[in-house]
């Protein structure tokens, strides 16, 4: 379209490819779920985090793989002992049981979770890390700038993507958005 002297020239085209998406190869998801199990928040907040982790893990397909990490004073891989587990119902149930047995307490070293979670995704095709918590660091890197820089360094050699789920009345939505 030729606009006025103050306008620009442009063309718009609509294209819909003729593709049978049911024949497309499905990519396997490799997910590390990090649940903030620090002392921050009350029982209801912890219950919401646990329910969110459960919903996420149960939504994975049978060919997908996962690991579950708790985060408080230091990150701890709760399930599986090594690598990533297939997201079948038995493995998901074992992971959720490990989370229930872990309990809550301590500070939150959010920056320490990056390397632990990424270590599980090195061989993954489409790695993702999902953090579930309030995003309030109380040990390790504390400021938003420090956390963003630490995450940048950690992700510089990885294809992983970070997703965040803000839980709790004092969740730092701005920081979690920035990290994601």
């Amino acid at each position: 379209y030729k606009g006025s002297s103050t306008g620009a020239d442009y063309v718009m085209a609509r294209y819909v490819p003729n593709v049978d998406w049911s024949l497309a190869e499905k990519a396997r998801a490799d997910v590390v779920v990090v649940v903030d199990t620090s002392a921050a928040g009350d029982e209801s907040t912890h219950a919401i985090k646990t329910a969110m982790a459960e919903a996420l893990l149960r939504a994975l397909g049978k060919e997908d793989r996962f690991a579950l990490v708790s985060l408080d004073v230091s990150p701890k891989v709760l399930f599986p002992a090594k690598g990533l587990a297939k997201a079948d119902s038995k493995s998901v149930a074992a992971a959720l049981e490990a989370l229930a047995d872990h309990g809550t307490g301590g500070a939150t070293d959010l920056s320490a979770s990056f390397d632990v979670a990424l270590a599980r995704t090195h061989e993954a095709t489409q790695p993702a890390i999902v953090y579930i918590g309030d995003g309030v660091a109380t040990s390790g890197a504390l400021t938003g700038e420090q956390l963003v820089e630490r995450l940048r360094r950690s992700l510089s050699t990885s294809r992983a993507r970070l997703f965040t789920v803000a839980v709790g009345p004092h969740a730092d939505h701005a920081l979690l958005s920035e990290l994601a």
Side-chain angles (χ1 to χ4, degrees), residues 66-150:
F66 77 96
L68 181 63
V69 176
S70 67
L71 175 64
D72 41 62
V73 175
S74 62
K76 179 183 179 189
V77 179
L78 300 176
F79 189 87
K82 291 184 181 182
L84 298 170
K86 279 201 165 212
D88 56 31
S89 59
K90 183 178 177 181
S91 294
V92 169
L96 294 172
E97 185 176 328
L99 179 59
D101 291 344
H102 180 69
T104 61
T108 305
D109 189 350
L110 189 56
S111 62
S113 70
F114 303 149
D115 293 332
V116 170
L118 286 170
R120 294 291 175 125
T121 64
H122 283 305
E123 303 299 321
T125 305
Q126 285 197 11
I129 298 166
V130 180
Y131 167 80
I132 302 170
D134 62 9
V136 178
T138 55
S139 67
L142 297 176
T143 68
E145 293 82 19
Q146 290 172 329
L147 288 164
V148 168
E149 180 55 33
R150 176 78 186 269

Side-chain angles (χ1 to χ4, degrees), residues 13-32:
R14 181 180 170 146
Y15 172 71
V16 179
N18 186 14
V19 176
D20 184 356
W21 294 109
S22 65
L23 300 177
E25 186 177 324
K26 294 180 182 173
R28 181 186 72 220
D30 294 312
V31 181
V32 177

Side-chain angles (χ1 to χ4, degrees), residues 32 34 52 56 110 113-114 128-135 151 161-167 172-180:
V32 177
V34 179
M52 184 63 219
L56 195 148
L110 189 56
S113 70
F114 303 149
I129 298 166
V130 180
Y131 167 80
I132 302 170
D134 62 9
L151 180 62
R161 296 170 293 156
L162 174 69
F163 300 91
T164 60
V165 179
V167 176
D172 190 341
H173 294 271
L175 174 63
L176 291 174
S177 294
E178 180 70 20
L179 290 174

